[in-house]
Amino acid sequence: MAVQFMYGVLVPVTTPKPKLPPEADNGVWSLYVGDLDPQVTEADLIDKFRLIGPIASVRLCCDSFAGDSLCYAYVNFFTSLDSSTALCFLNHKELKGKPIRIMWSQRYPLTRKTGIANLFVKNLHPSITSAQLQSMFSKFGKILSCKVAAENGKTKGFGFVQYDSEQSSMTARNALHGTLVEGKKIYVSKFAKKSARTVAHGDAMMASLEGQNKNLFIARTQQKEIANCHIEKLKASSLAIKNSTHPVHYSSFQSLGEDLIKQKQHRNTGNRSFVWNSSLHMLER
């Protein structure tokens, strides 16, 4: 134990311990290995990971009925040092031409399932890989998982970064949101599950439709009142003309109606045109 003098007194110096991986399960340290090529076998995984150290076991997860690979596996080491080294040096490295994604196997995956400390990153340049994305975000805290979404070898322009704490994720979001990366301004936000996004979008749509229906109701009510007002004026004018000895000319009524239609033409509401035309038709009859 190291010591140092402070105010003439010997005091012990404690060095901070590095963050340990999750607790070992049955004496082995387990890694989750995802984004595997469908053709990867357990033998391929053993050949890849045994260069790090002795492997306790490898399990490639497959469909229970068809037997096809589910494209993820678990690799177990005897020591935390070997598992940490594998995570450090093999994460995002290629296996059968496809980058693999490695993270600590979580016995209680509450954080992963709830999306806590998980960020959504979009508007990424096509050249950005998962390894580059992790390097970009790693300075803000310990990353549990990092991935750039891809399909048929081509990136989709968005990815996900999950930290071990909410504080780290918010620090990264505040620092990197709106920054330029390879000439593109990236967008960083808290990750939300598809179900939550669907509900939020549905609520917004309902609110929008309710607002539109309310405005439409008000507009139709107002136009009906205006139409009735002009019809009453036209009727009053026609009665005065009928009582006179001069012939009735409905052309003046027609021009008045056309003027009113032109005033409302910019709103392009078929209902308004119908109201005016029907009122003129009533008068001419």
Side-chain angles (χ1 to χ4, degrees):
M1 180 177 62
V3 294
Q4 69 177 9
F5 281 96
M6 183 176 292
Y7 303 109
V9 180
L10 283 173
V11 293
V13 178
T14 57
T15 55
K17 295 181 179 180
K19 258 187 177 179
L20 294 177
E23 183 182 350
D25 189 8
N26 297 325
V28 297
W29 304 86
S30 183
L31 295 174
Y32 167 89
V33 185
D35 296 347
L36 297 174
D37 185 273
Q39 302 304 316
V40 169
T41 64
E42 288 185 352
D44 295 324
L45 291 167
I46 292 173
D47 289 339
K48 187 77 170 179
F49 283 83
R50 69 180 177 181
L51 300 175
I52 302 298
I55 296 174
S57 64
V58 171
R59 180 167 67 92
L60 177 65
C61 298
C62 299
D63 183 88
S64 57
F65 294 101
D68 297 331
S69 170
L70 296 177
C71 299
Y72 69 91
Y74 295 93
V75 178
N76 304 312
F77 287 92
F78 290 107
T79 68
S80 63
L81 177 60
D82 288 340
S83 58
S84 299
T85 304
L87 176 60
C88 180
F89 288 98
L90 297 182
N91 195 19
H92 305 305
K93 295 297 189 292
E94 290 189 358
L95 180 58
K96 286 201 171 181
K98 186 176 180 182
I100 61 177
R101 180 167 56 95
I102 306 175
M103 57 186 290
W104 289 111
S105 176
Q106 299 176 21
R107 190 190 304 178
Y108 307 107
L110 179 63
T111 301
R112 176 174 55 84
K113 289 185 176 181
T114 56
I116 296 173
N118 200 358
L119 296 176
F120 171 68
V121 187
K122 71 175 183 178
N123 202 34
L124 294 172
H125 191 275
S127 65
I128 299 297
T129 64
S130 296
Q132 291 172 322
L133 187 67
Q134 177 152 346
S135 177
M136 188 191 316
F137 280 80
S138 61
K139 64 182 72 174
F140 301 100
K142 182 181 177 182
I143 293 177
L144 299 180
S145 177
C146 181
K147 176 182 179 179
V148 173
E151 187 175 9
N152 299 325
K154 294 183 178 180
T155 65
K156 293 184 176 181
F158 64 88
F160 307 93
V161 180
Q162 186 167 22
Y163 288 91
D164 66 340
S165 71
E166 187 71 16
Q167 182 179 356
S168 296
S169 68
M170 289 298 96
T171 302
R173 181 193 178 280
N174 295 334
L176 294 178
H177 178 65
T179 58
L180 288 175
V181 179
E182 296 293 334
K184 299 191 72 174
K185 185 180 289 187
I186 65 171
Y187 173 91
V188 185
S189 68
K190 291 189 66 174
F191 169 77
K193 288 185 176 181
K194 185 177 181 180
S195 57
R197 296 197 304 270
T198 303
V199 171
H201 180 69
D203 292 342
M205 287 291 293
M206 287 296 296
S208 176
L209 288 174
E210 288 177 1
Q212 291 180 10
N213 291 337
K214 183 178 180 181
N215 291 336
L216 182 60
F217 175 77
I218 293 173
R220 287 182 174 175
T221 303
Q222 290 177 343
Q223 71 184 29
K224 185 175 180 180
E225 292 176 353
I226 295 172
N228 290 337
C229 179
H230 284 286
I231 289 172
E232 293 301 324
K233 288 182 178 180
L234 290 173
K235 284 182 178 180
S237 301
S238 64
L239 288 174
I241 295 173
K242 283 181 180 180
N243 294 332
S244 67
T245 56
H246 299 283
V248 178
H249 298 284
Y250 292 100
S251 58
S252 59
F253 299 156
Q254 181 69 31
S255 62
L256 176 60
E258 289 176 354
D259 291 340
L260 293 172
I261 293 172
K262 288 178 181 178
Q263 291 175 11
K264 304 295 180 181
Q265 191 173 6
H266 67 281
R267 295 191 181 181
N268 195 21
T269 305
N271 186 56
R272 287 193 175 93
S273 298
F274 174 78
V275 170
W276 295 121
N277 289 337
S278 62
S279 63
L280 291 173
H281 182 64
M282 288 171 56
L283 288 174
E284 290 181 355
R285 282 194 304 175

